[in-house]
Amino acid sequence: MSDDHSGNLSDDDEDFESEAQLSELQGTLNKWTNYIHGWQSRYIVLKDGTLSYYKSENDTGYGCRGAISIHKATIKPHEFDECRFDVSVHDSVWYLRTDCPEERNQWVEILEACKADSAYGSENSLRRHGSAISLGSANLSTASVSSFKKARGLRVKLAEMETFRDILCRQVDTLQSYFDACADTVTAANDKESDTHLDELEDVEDNGTTQDPPVNSEDILCDLPSRSCRFKDHTHIPHITKELLSQHGAHAVDFKGEAITFKATTAGILSTLSHCIDIMQQREENWKRRLEKEIEKRRKLDELYKQAVSEAKAQQPIVLGGPDYEEGPHSVINEEEFFDAVDAALDKHEQQEEERRLSKKITADLTQPPPSILTCQHRLWPEIEAITTEQLSYAKMGVGEGGWQLFAEDGEMRMYKRELEECGVVVDPLKAVHTVQGVTGHEVCHYFFNPDVRFEWETTLESMKIIEEIDANTLIFHQVHKRVWPATQRDALFWSHIRQVPNSDDQDGQHIWIVCNHSTEHDDVPVGKCVRVFLTISLVCQTFIDPPAENEEIKRENITCKIIYCSTINPGGWAPASVLRAVYKREYPKFLKRFTQYVKDMTETKPILF
């Protein structure tokens, strides 16, 4: 009995230890930081009901970067992303992602279990706090107050009950040994009396007499029934000898004393159990009242929080920073808000670029080596030759062919488009026709191709790298563009080729220059966290000269450059079609005007480059 009870206690201890282990968890997860840096790897630790995070596992000794209490937190698995879950406490929200759905489910289950085991989680918490009452005092009221403060638990009373159990066990063993001795005594007496009975019968049959004085046979026969009766009675009431009395006396017990002890022990057990039940009921009532107060308090806070959120949304419809407002298939931001955010970000980029240009003296070198014949041995040469020739023909094609629609007009500039979608993504081909005074086609194409000056006029670039130089006139670029929230950041990998093409169509014009850019692939630049843009762009320029007066040199006012800009861009991702078309309508004219003005500023005081 003692072993069983000890085993139960050990099982309870093991369960408690296992619950304590389950309430602790740590690992590396992806945490949403902000709309600039997006998801970042962070070391998350759950311990003692607190969820904290560090930049890495090695930084745990320097203090956490943030922490929230799980006891009052809301754990919400994401509706569509199987690897994401959110942990929020009022207006503080942690967006977390795991590497697989199984790991997400494990974190959510353990966080929910930790929350349920807290003082605000479930009825288990009431029982746990109730069991923390000490029952060391015999006085109920005193025990209620002191045990609540000291939190000694029920172990004191359990130890007392175990002592009572040991006393009862000893009493049972004593009584059992006594009854066993009584049974052994009765058995021994029966065996001895039976042997005496048999010996007397044998003497009667064999000798007709006993060792007593002689009697006749009729007396013996008449006396047999009385003897039988005597022997029969002796079977139930054996003859107790001195030897048997001595043996039985060694096992005698004090029945009165044992009965008093037994009654006192059982009374002590019942009293202790009653004491425990009373205190647990009292504690349960206290915790229920506290729980009701906390529930009411939380309800009021939730109402205030919802009211504050609704007021904040009414004042500012776009909430910056959360991943739910990013570009994606399940974005909660509508198209109008998406466009407003992109529009504001682009305006900010332009303002910063203009300030940078005004504060920096722009210098550039026009020592562009003449285009050379690309070696036919390079793997990309057939593609470069075919795409460049195709884009040249495409640029010469009139806008009256192919269903072009005029969508923007500014001075000499006309911009046309054809609406086209692939797999729900806008890939509208665009064509711009523009005329610029004072620059040549060679100069315009040079600045468009030259990587040394690209940051001067391309305001959307965050970084640019030359991956491979095929020759002086053909390069492979990798460009990462600045992020425009809420759109995802994008990059592009493409080859760029510049060449001069003999003029065979317009006798009044000079030779034609073309720069062609086309997306490609390279082992050194796999697709990363950015959305990869696929593009085909061509810039075709032709110079026209107004003959000067006799004996006068050609000046820049005598030069006119006709520019044809064609682009087909697949931006990828999930940006709304209406937003993309609105951005194209706004940005393409501004880009072309900005770039041509940049070329005019750069060549104004330099010799003409035909």
Side-chain angles (χ1 to χ4, degrees):
M1 183 175 180
S2 177
D3 294 340
D4 293 341
H5 185 71
S6 300
N8 293 333
L9 288 177
S10 63
D11 291 341
D12 294 339
D13 293 340
E14 291 177 359
D15 293 341
F16 181 77
E17 292 176 0
S18 63
E19 290 180 3
Q21 293 175 357
L22 287 176
S23 64
E24 296 185 7
L25 187 63
Q26 54 191 8
T28 301
L29 303 179
N30 292 318
K31 182 179 181 295
W32 175 262
T33 54
N34 52 56
Y35 74 93
I36 296 178
H37 298 96
W39 297 98
Q40 297 291 329
S41 176
R42 293 291 183 263
Y43 190 69
I44 311 297
V45 177
L46 171 64
K47 186 175 183 181
D48 297 333
T50 301
L51 191 66
S52 54
Y53 79 93
Y54 307 82
K55 187 173 183 181
S56 65
E57 185 176 0
N58 297 329
D59 294 342
T60 54
Y62 301 102
C64 67
R65 293 196 164 198
I68 57 177
S69 174
I70 295 299
H71 298 164
K72 300 181 181 180
T74 300
I75 299 96
K76 180 182 178 183
H78 197 266
E79 184 177 2
F80 304 106
D81 192 341
E82 295 181 350
C83 296
R84 174 183 154 190
F85 64 97
D86 304 339
V87 182
S88 60
V89 178
H90 301 304
D91 58 346
S92 177
V93 184
W94 287 14
Y95 306 100
L96 303 173
R97 291 189 84 256
T98 60
D99 294 333
C100 61
E102 292 77 11
E103 187 178 0
R104 192 277 298 267
N105 295 337
Q106 180 189 10
W107 273 92
V108 171
E109 290 175 1
I110 293 180
L111 288 173
E112 291 287 2
C114 181
K115 177 182 175 181
D117 288 340
S118 68
Y120 304 92
S122 68
E123 295 180 0
N124 293 332
S125 62
L126 295 176
R127 288 195 292 268
R128 179 168 298 176
H129 285 285
S131 66
I133 302 174
S134 172
L135 305 179
S137 173
N139 185 286
L140 180 59
S141 59
T142 305
S144 301
V145 178
S146 62
S147 60
F148 181 74
K149 294 181 179 179
K150 297 180 180 179
R152 294 175 56 195
L154 292 175
R155 296 188 181 275
V156 174
K157 286 301 178 182
L158 288 176
E160 292 180 6
M161 292 170 63
E162 188 172 356
T163 302
F164 292 147
R165 181 205 61 190
D166 293 339
I167 295 173
L168 289 176
C169 289
R170 287 196 297 269
Q171 289 178 316
V172 169
D173 292 339
T174 301
L175 293 174
Q176 185 64 46
S177 63
Y178 172 74
F179 293 135
D180 291 342
C182 290
D184 293 340
T185 302
V186 172
T187 302
N190 287 338
D191 293 340
K192 186 173 183 180
E193 191 65 27
S194 298
D195 292 341
T196 304
H197 181 189
L198 292 175
D199 291 341
E200 290 180 355
L201 288 177
E202 289 176 358
D203 292 340
V204 170
E205 292 177 357
D206 295 339
N207 302 323
T209 181
T210 62
Q211 295 179 357
D212 293 336
V215 294
N216 57 32
S217 58
E218 294 181 358
D219 295 335
I220 293 175
L221 293 175
C222 292
D223 193 42
L224 282 175
S226 62
R227 291 193 178 191
S228 299
C229 294
R230 179 166 51 89
F231 292 154
K232 183 177 180 180
D233 294 338
H234 285 175
T235 302
H236 296 281
I237 307 175
H239 181 67
I240 306 301
T241 62
K242 291 182 179 181
E243 181 181 357
L244 293 177
L245 288 174
S246 176
Q247 181 181 0
H248 174 69
H251 298 278
V253 295
D254 183 5
F255 277 100
K256 185 175 181 180
E258 292 293 335
I260 293 173
T261 304
F262 184 84
K263 290 179 180 180
T265 304
T266 53
I269 293 176
L270 294 176
S271 176
T272 303
L273 290 175
S274 176
H275 191 182
C276 294
I277 293 172
D278 291 342
I279 294 181
M280 292 174 68
Q281 288 178 347
Q282 182 179 359
R283 296 297 298 138
E284 183 178 8
E285 292 297 327
N286 292 338
W287 280 106
K288 281 183 178 179
R289 286 193 295 270
R290 292 188 62 181
L291 178 61
E292 290 173 356
K293 291 180 180 179
E294 290 295 334
I295 291 175
E296 180 65 21
K297 182 179 179 181
R298 180 170 181 174
R299 185 186 63 79
K300 293 180 180 179
L301 290 176
D302 287 340
E303 291 177 356
L304 293 175
Y305 172 71
K306 291 178 181 179
Q307 182 180 357
V309 169
S310 61
E311 292 176 357
K313 286 184 178 180
Q315 296 176 359
Q316 186 178 2
I318 299 179
V319 182
L320 299 177
D324 292 325
Y325 294 89
E326 278 195 308
E327 172 192 351
H330 310 295
S331 177
V332 300
I333 191 172
N334 58 44
E335 293 186 7
E336 183 178 354
E337 294 171 342
F338 194 102
F339 175 75
D340 291 342
V342 172
D343 189 62
L346 291 175
D347 286 340
K348 185 177 180 181
H349 288 173
E350 289 181 2
Q351 182 180 0
Q352 294 174 347
E353 182 63 21
E354 186 65 23
E355 293 175 354
R356 186 184 63 82
R357 286 188 58 196
L358 294 176
S359 63
K360 181 178 179 181
K361 183 178 180 180
I362 302 176
T363 59
D365 186 8
L366 276 176
T367 58
Q368 169 73 34
S372 61
I373 299 177
L374 192 63
T375 175
C376 297
Q377 297 180 354
H378 196 277
R379 63 181 181 86
L380 291 177
W381 173 245
E383 179 183 275
I384 294 172
E385 184 69 24
I387 296 295
T388 303
T389 304
E390 176 187 324
Q391 287 297 307
L392 182 61
S393 302
Y394 186 68
K396 292 180 179 180
M397 186 183 302
V399 294
E401 306 174 20
W404 292 98
Q405 302 174 7
L406 178 68
F407 75 91
E409 183 177 0
D410 187 356
E412 296 291 334
M413 181 173 59
R414 305 286 188 276
M415 302 205 75
Y416 305 87
K417 71 173 181 178
R418 287 190 294 111
E419 292 190 357
L420 179 65
E421 293 188 13
E422 293 181 359
C423 301
V425 179
V426 174
V427 291
D428 294 351
L430 300 173
K431 177 180 284 191
V433 180
H434 192 25
T435 301
V436 183
Q437 297 284 338
V439 294
T440 66
H442 188 185
E443 291 170 336
V444 174
C445 288
H446 164 79
Y447 283 103
F448 189 76
F449 172 81
N450 190 359
D452 295 335
V453 297
R454 187 162 300 176
F455 278 100
E456 305 295 340
W457 57 267
E458 179 59 276
T459 60
T460 65
L461 286 185
E462 181 177 289
S463 64
M464 180 194 66
K465 182 179 180 181
I466 299 176
I467 304 302
E468 183 180 351
E469 182 176 351
I470 299 176
D471 70 0
N473 296 329
T474 310
L475 304 172
I476 298 179
F477 292 96
H478 178 234
Q479 295 184 167
V480 178
H481 295 266
K482 296 176 182 177
R483 185 180 182 192
V484 181
W485 192 90
T488 306
Q489 192 171 26
R490 284 164 165 78
D491 68 345
L493 178 65
F494 59 92
W495 54 257
S496 183
H497 175 64
I498 183 173
R499 70 166 59 171
Q500 185 184 36
V501 181
N503 176 27
S504 59
D505 299 331
D506 193 344
Q507 299 299 326
D508 295 333
Q510 300 291 315
H511 292 307
I512 298 173
W513 283 86
I514 180 174
V515 177
C516 185
N517 300 339
H518 183 71
S519 291
T520 186
E521 296 180 355
H522 201 283
D523 294 338
D524 294 342
V525 189
V527 178
K529 64 179 182 178
C530 297
V531 175
R532 181 63 54 86
V533 175
F534 296 94
L535 56 86
T536 301
I537 296 174
S538 63
L539 181 70
V540 179
C541 302
Q542 187 175 15
T543 306
F544 293 87
I545 302 176
D546 184 15
E550 188 177 354
N551 298 326
E552 289 187 5
E553 294 182 356
I554 299 176
K555 298 181 181 179
R556 290 200 172 271
E557 54 262 27
N558 304 124
I559 299 173
T560 302
C561 179
K562 181 180 179 181
I563 300 173
I564 301 176
Y565 178 82
C566 302
S567 71
T568 302
I569 298 178
N570 185 342
W574 299 272
S578 60
V579 174
L580 287 176
R581 289 191 171 107
V583 171
Y584 291 164
K585 183 177 181 179
R586 163 191 158 148
E587 290 302 311
Y588 272 106
K590 294 172 64 175
F591 154 73
L592 200 55
K593 290 181 64 177
R594 182 174 64 247
F595 172 68
T596 54
Q597 185 62 43
Y598 168 79
V599 176
K600 292 179 68 175
D601 294 341
M602 294 297 299
T603 58
E604 185 176 7
T605 59
K606 294 183 179 180
I608 301 175
L609 182 65
F610 290 102

